[in-house]
Amino acid sequence: MGLLGAALDLVLPQRCAGCDDAGGLLCAACAALLGGPARLCPPRPVPPGLPRPWAVAAYTGAVRQLIVAHKERGRTGLARSLGAGLAAAVRAAARDTEDPVLLVPVPSSGASVRRRGYDPTLRLAQAAAGEMARAGTAVSVARVLAHRRRVADQSGLTAADRAANLAGALTARRDLRGATVIVVDDVITTGVTLAEAARALRAAGARVRAAAVVAATRRHDEGPGDPGHFR
């Protein structure tokens, strides 16, 4: 569907992937939802080893539709806008460091990449780096994480089951001693995927400064007055 979806976007009248309004792949109202500001978005409970996570939006409504369209429906034209949102989260995560920053995307499985025709998180990381470069801040993207064993589909699993499913599943493919890393993904739910990614990166010697995502699942106890609340 990945290549087919991209091809159809070129020849068919497009509707907004977030709200289905006519007039283009992403309407102004839905684009504004990705505009931040970035906020800390820790899940509850916080899994051991999770770096401080930053996001620009809640994973609900139109934002959820945009991320799913990019990830599962081949709407690759959304990468730049979603990447701009991710870049805002990266800037917040890197605010107090002057060290060169390495963005490390959480890897998709080989089977998922073959099915989609692309790695959506890698694409978002590259788009975020491009957005930051245009604003005068250089960051690098490193595809250094890999799966070293198969994992079950995370859908429907509890936080504890997700943690068990992912424990020890990732590895870094090179020495990262001395590197300052921000691990990136499209969404944070329970946080166990980002925690496992951070574990593998630390094992390779990296200083994992934070995590950055486009959107965060709302906590059940979160309200409008919560510091992590998105408008």
Side-chain angles (χ1 to χ4, degrees):
M1 179 62 184
L3 295 177
L4 177 60
L8 290 175
D9 281 344
L10 295 175
V11 298
L12 296 178
Q14 295 187 40
R15 303 187 71 86
C16 176
C19 65
D20 202 37
D21 277 356
L25 181 61
L26 180 63
C27 73
C30 289
L33 297 175
L34 303 171
R39 301 183 188 277
L40 282 170
C41 55
R44 293 180 183 166
V46 176
L50 177 69
R52 282 160 51 99
W54 293 83
V56 294
Y59 187 58
T60 187
V63 171
R64 181 182 185 280
Q65 292 303 315
L66 293 172
I67 291 173
V68 171
H70 174 259
K71 188 172 187 176
E72 302 294 352
R73 298 174 187 155
R75 309 303 291 275
T76 56
L78 293 167
R80 182 166 181 175
S81 296
L82 291 169
L86 180 60
V90 170
R91 289 189 194 96
R95 186 174 295 143
D96 298 324
T97 184
E98 296 181 359
D99 296 331
V101 171
L102 196 63
L103 303 186
V104 176
V106 171
S108 298
S109 68
S112 295
V113 172
R114 288 189 293 274
R115 174 174 57 83
R116 294 170 177 142
Y118 60 100
D119 184 331
T121 309
L122 174 63
R123 188 181 289 265
L124 292 186
Q126 292 169 334
E131 177 71 18
M132 295 181 73
R134 285 187 289 274
T137 302
V139 298
S140 301
V141 177
R143 190 180 183 182
V144 297
L145 288 176
H147 289 86
R148 61 182 180 186
R149 63 171 176 81
R150 287 189 176 184
V151 297
D153 186 346
Q154 297 276 80
S155 301
L157 297 183
T158 66
D161 288 340
R162 287 185 178 213
N165 183 43
L166 286 171
L170 298 179
T171 187
R173 297 183 288 192
R174 76 170 198 238
D175 191 327
L176 293 169
R177 280 176 287 187
T180 298
V181 167
I182 294 175
V183 59
V184 300
D185 206 349
D186 52 3
V187 175
I188 181 173
T189 52
T190 63
V192 297
T193 301
L194 289 166
E196 169 58 17
R199 180 208 59 76
L201 293 166
R202 292 180 184 119
R207 296 189 299 268
V208 182
R209 178 170 183 80
V213 300
V214 179
T217 301
R218 284 243 175 97
R219 302 188 297 264
H220 292 300
D221 57 350
E222 184 180 282
D226 190 287
H229 180 77
F230 297 96
R231 64 189 184 285

